[in-house]
Amino acid sequence: MTPAARIQAAIEVLDLVIEAARSNGAPADRLISEWFRARRWAGSGDRRAVRELAYRAIRACGEIPATGRAAMLRVADTDPQLAALFDGSRHAPAPIDAAEPMAEAGVAPAWLMQRLADSGVEHPEALLDRAPLDIRVNTLKSGSLDLPEGGEKTVAAHGWRYPPETKIEQSPAYLEGMIEVQDAGSQLTCEVVAARPGETVIDLCAGAGGKTLALAAAMENAGRLVACDADRARLQRLPPRAERAGATGIETLLLDANREMQALEPFVGAADAVLVDAPCSGTGTWRRNPEARWRLTDKQLERYVAIQSRLLDIAATLVKPGGRLVFVTCSLLDAEGADQAEGFLTRHPDWRAELPVLPAGTPRGAGLRLSPSRDGTDGFFVARFVRL
């Protein structure tokens, strides 16, 4: 593909991403992969270049663009060399008309920018930086560890950081289950749980089990670890991951959304610790999913907040006296963080908050906030509550 043809390809991909954002369709990475699957003649260099152009445009536009061309014109407006490739030649985009619409620059839609400002988020532009690749060393695997070259230690106890383009999943250490891909901030939130061998620990919103595996390592495969989720497809991805990691004895429990207590009844008052990594807006993960900020609406945010409150109330019933409940969201919005923690304490006077002690993060209400700009991690809120 010529450089100009790559721009036109990125415009076509962006049209798909924009439509999916409006209709809550497939994520950008999947759409890009599917687009190239139908064009197997494109080489690896073409794929990489088109992907980078598409994501560059996604990151450049605050409000959702009208079209892929409008999004790419936003990039071309500050890149004369790219603008010159809009020359109308074969497979190239048509020449730029000075009067044609261009997407608005910015970090996020206006209503979200106001929410971020109200939540005291500084340097929101850092939310769109390209994320590094973080890994967690799996302490369940014994023997010598041959880490891939090019990494540096993070503040997480078992964390290392690599450049984003590192082919970590092709390394022997990954293939042998000695390392797991996990953001340093995510690793730190697991450390707040302080899971110990012999305990009963419940991961209430386990998903595919990234945090569950970190808890299993902390528990040294001793105790009872229950991974729960209402999404069968995601939960089914955990057993093969656990086998590869050498994490034995993890129980999976499929929940019926809005009827969770039917399955959780045997665990009422039995858990030493419950982790609630609740569904949320994902504002802290825009570095990895920048088009997600175009998908979120105020009503969706309200639904997430209601789900989080309900899950916290369910989790509270599972913890034994003296036990702990850790609430985590990958969000920087107070509605899903400090306000949510305050609401829990108001509803449950028989609980108290313990401010997590971590080598990163800033106090926010009853918990800590981790942010890309200050901590170099994805954005998280984490709070720890103890039952009296």
Side-chain angles (χ1 to χ4, degrees), residues 2-324:
T2 65
R6 287 172 172 174
I7 294 175
Q8 181 58 36
I11 290 172
E12 294 177 18
V13 166
L14 286 164
D15 281 330
L16 297 174
V17 172
I18 291 167
E19 177 57 31
R22 290 190 176 120
S23 61
N24 200 29
D29 57 351
R30 188 190 308 169
L31 290 171
I32 294 172
S33 296
E34 291 175 351
W35 193 88
F36 276 116
R37 192 174 295 119
R39 296 162 178 81
R40 296 189 180 278
W41 44 264
S44 60
D46 295 327
R47 294 168 184 260
R48 182 170 57 254
V50 171
R51 181 182 293 269
E52 289 178 355
L53 282 168
Y55 274 107
R56 184 178 172 190
I58 291 170
R59 288 185 168 92
C61 305
E63 301 286 347
I64 187 167
T67 64
R69 181 177 172 89
M72 192 56 66
L73 287 176
R74 166 49 57 194
V75 178
D77 188 56
T78 57
D79 188 337
Q81 291 183 334
L82 192 150
L85 296 174
F86 284 72
D87 59 11
S89 61
R90 189 165 181 254
H91 302 308
I96 298 173
D97 183 339
E100 68 179 303
M102 180 189 306
E104 294 183 33
V107 174
W111 77 272
L112 257 178
M113 290 300 295
Q114 186 60 54
R115 287 276 193 160
L116 291 169
D118 292 345
S119 299
V121 176
E122 300 176 346
H123 307 295
E125 65 278 1
L127 296 173
L128 295 177
D129 289 342
R130 193 175 181 191
L133 191 152
D134 293 347
I135 62 103
R136 175 181 57 82
V137 174
N138 177 19
T139 55
L140 292 175
K141 292 278 189 171
S142 59
S144 60
L145 176 62
D146 185 17
L147 285 173
E149 295 182 359
E152 60 181 22
K153 190 73 179 66
T154 71
V155 295
H158 305 291
W160 288 79
R161 173 161 294 173
Y162 291 85
E165 65 276 4
T166 305
K167 305 295 185 183
I168 204 77
E169 294 184 357
Q170 299 175 10
S171 68
Y174 180 85
L175 294 173
E176 294 169 12
M178 304 187 79
I179 59 175
E180 293 285 340
V181 175
Q182 187 178 17
D183 177 74
S186 177
Q187 295 178 49
L188 290 172
T189 64
C190 292
E191 291 180 23
V192 175
V193 179
R196 295 183 287 268
E199 290 190 322
T200 295
V201 178
I202 299 174
D203 187 352
L204 194 61
C205 310
K211 290 183 175 66
T212 308
L213 295 179
L215 297 176
M219 296 172 68
E220 301 175 10
N221 279 340
R224 189 176 190 185
L225 178 56
V226 185
C228 313
D229 206 272
D231 189 327
R232 182 187 299 273
R234 295 188 70 198
L235 196 59
Q236 286 178 335
R237 292 163 55 189
L238 175 54
R241 293 183 67 187
E243 182 178 2
R244 173 182 151 274
T248 61
I250 297 176
E251 303 173 38
T252 58
L253 184 63
L254 182 65
L255 304 178
D256 186 358
N258 297 314
R259 298 179 179 177
E260 293 89 351
M261 288 308 302
Q262 292 181 358
L264 291 169
E265 187 63 34
F267 299 97
V268 171
D272 295 283
V274 175
L275 170 62
V276 180
D277 180 19
C280 69
S281 65
T283 55
T285 62
W286 288 350
R287 300 190 304 173
R288 305 176 192 281
N289 307 289
E291 85 280 8
R293 67 201 202 282
W294 297 341
R295 296 169 175 265
L296 186 64
T297 66
D298 200 33
K299 289 185 177 180
Q300 288 173 328
L301 178 59
E302 291 177 3
R303 285 196 291 270
Y304 282 130
V305 170
I307 291 170
Q308 292 157 16
S309 296
R310 187 172 59 81
L311 290 173
L312 277 169
D313 291 344
I314 289 172
T317 69
L318 308 179
V319 181
K320 65 175 61 172
R324 54 210 184 273

